[in-house]
Every structure is written in structure tokens, then in C-alpha cells.
Amino acid sequence: MRLTPVLIPLLALTTLSGCVASKIVTAPFKAAGTVVETAVDATTQSQSEKEEDIGRRVLAERKAEREACLDRAESKEERKQCKDAYKDD
């Protein structure tokens, strides 16, 4: 009775071809390697991603400067000058 649960998987492995058995055995290791590669990729940053971050930071700074300029403006003419100076934003 107790031998049956052990005997069935062993019998199944011996009847499977070598290729199928090796795929079954190596599948968990391949999956673990994929997880590690994904984790490393998620923690690294490419050059284009760095440039995008810098661009966002510069854009946020220019927007803050524009808002500060508009807050300091006392007349419509000064507000217009602020808007013209930062019109690309």
C-alpha cells in the first residue's frame, strides 16, 4: 500500500522519453532564472529612461518657475511677459 504512491511517479518517469523527463526536471530552474532576470531588469535603468527622468524634472522646474513668475507679476503686462517667457511649457 505504501509503495504505490512512490512507485507510480517512478514508473511514469521511466516510461517517459529522456527529453520529456529532462524538461520536467529543468522547468523549475528555468522559471527561477526568468524571475531573477525580471527582477534585475526591474531594478536597472536604461539610458533612455534616465533621460526621460531628467526631462520630467526639468519640465517640472520650468513649470514651477512659470508659476512663481505669475505669482510675482503685478500687472497684466508682467503676466503676459511670464507667459511668453514660458510659452513652450
Side-chain angles (χ1 to χ4, degrees), residues 5 7 12 31 34 40 42 45 47 54 59 69 76 79 88-89:
L7 188 60
T34 303
V40 169
Q45 189 177 36
Q47 183 64 32
I54 291 170
L59 187 61
C69 181
K76 283 186 176 183
R79 289 181 64 80
D88 293 334
D89 294 345

Side-chain angles (χ1 to χ4, degrees), residues 10-11 13 24 28 33 35 45-46 50 62 67 70 83:
L10 287 176
L11 184 60
L13 282 176
I24 292 171
V35 170
Q45 189 177 36
S46 69
K50 288 178 186 177
R62 285 192 45 87
E67 293 300 318
L70 289 172
K83 289 178 182 179

Side-chain angles (χ1 to χ4, degrees), residues 5-35:
V6 175
L7 188 60
I8 291 174
L10 287 176
L11 184 60
L13 282 176
T14 57
T15 58
L16 292 173
S17 69
C19 293
V20 175
S22 67
K23 287 181 183 178
I24 292 171
V25 172
T26 59
F29 297 105
K30 288 181 182 178
T34 303
V35 170

Side-chain angles (χ1 to χ4, degrees), residues 45 49-65 89:
Q45 189 177 36
E49 291 171 331
K50 288 178 186 177
E51 291 171 358
E52 289 173 4
D53 288 344
I54 291 170
R56 284 188 204 103
R57 198 174 311 124
V58 168
L59 187 61
E61 289 171 4
R62 285 192 45 87
K63 189 173 181 180
E65 290 172 4
D89 294 345

Side-chain angles (χ1 to χ4, degrees), residues 66 70 78-88:
R66 179 180 185 261
L70 289 172
E78 289 177 352
R79 289 181 64 80
K80 186 176 186 293
Q81 289 173 354
C82 289
K83 289 178 182 179
D84 289 342
Y86 296 99
K87 68 181 173 186
D88 293 334

